[in-house]
Amino acid sequence: STVFSSASSSTEKGEDPGGPIYVCIDTSSSMSGDPEAAAKKLALAIAIIAQSEKRPLCVVNYSFTVSFFMLTDFQRQKKSFLTFLSNSYSGGNDENRLFRFVFTLLPQAPKYREFAQNFRSADMLIISDYQWGFISEKNLELVNRARRKGMKIYGLHIGNVHSNHSALQFF
């Protein structure tokens, strides 16, 4: 079973296992407690599945700051990854910073360039309560450019169902 639509649907050996997976977790203060814990448990489950599908995973925690973890070998990186997931952040959320990081800064880093530029078969899941502010036109263009290259972008709303859903129209 696959997690996202662009994951390989075939069980035949030798087929492309799919591109990288980005899991972006809103760690702003409005997500603190159970919503953040649920998001991070989901990221752990996705990591296990990504490992079995031989897909690299980039988990991004974002609020006013951005931190990330590149997971390519779950068994070897398990302890560091669990430590990363246990870190908690707070403050407001800044989706513009998230999109700038994923679509501009990460691809410029030589160590991650190949990973970050392979949007052809990449999937992105943004887990948030979607209490978002304004998304700049520049960042909307970055998102749309990644989509045109083949990236699939998904949103998972966690939190009060009475939250502001205007950002959900983004997807």
Side-chain angles (χ1 to χ4, degrees):
S1 126
T2 56
V3 178
F4 300 107
S5 69
S6 69
S8 175
S9 60
S10 173
T11 57
E12 292 181 33
K13 295 198 184 295
E15 291 221 3
D16 181 7
I21 299 172
Y22 297 81
V23 176
C24 305
I25 302 171
D26 177 350
T27 57
S28 64
S29 56
S30 64
M31 286 283 291
S32 67
D34 290 340
E36 184 177 332
K40 290 179 175 181
K41 287 175 186 175
L42 179 57
L44 178 58
I46 292 170
I48 293 167
I49 294 168
Q51 176 70 36
S52 73
E53 294 183 353
K54 300 190 180 349
R55 296 180 72 185
L57 174 72
C58 179
V59 177
V60 181
N61 289 331
Y62 75 95
S63 59
F64 279 143
T65 59
V66 174
S67 63
F68 71 102
F69 192 98
M70 292 288 191
L71 185 69
T72 55
D73 184 337
F74 185 77
Q75 291 306 317
R76 184 177 56 80
Q77 297 175 286
K78 184 177 182 179
K79 185 176 180 179
S80 298
F81 183 60
L82 292 175
T83 298
F84 172 80
L85 287 178
S86 70
N87 293 330
S88 191
Y89 309 90
S90 62
N93 50 328
D94 187 345
E95 286 71 28
N96 284 301
R97 185 172 297 207
L98 167 69
F99 295 132
R100 190 171 143 261
F101 171 77
V102 170
F103 299 119
T104 303
L105 298 178
L106 194 61
Q108 291 175 357
K111 183 176 180 180
Y112 305 117
R113 187 172 292 136
E114 184 177 332
F115 177 94
Q117 291 180 344
N118 186 13
F119 295 146
R120 176 188 54 79
S121 54
D123 293 300
M124 176 185 279
L125 173 63
I126 303 172
I127 306 171
S128 176
D129 58 7
Y130 288 96
Q131 295 182 20
W132 286 14
F134 174 78
I135 305 297
S136 73
E137 288 297 320
K138 181 178 180 180
N139 281 319
L140 289 174
E141 178 51 34
L142 291 171
V143 169
N144 287 328
R145 186 178 315 147
R147 283 181 164 155
R148 286 190 300 271
K149 289 181 180 181
M151 178 182 261
K152 304 280 192 274
I153 302 175
Y154 304 91
L156 176 63
H157 178 258
I158 290 186
N160 184 342
V161 294
H162 301 293
S163 297
N164 175 4
H165 287 95
S166 62
L168 293 176
Q169 296 171 1
F170 174 74
F171 299 102

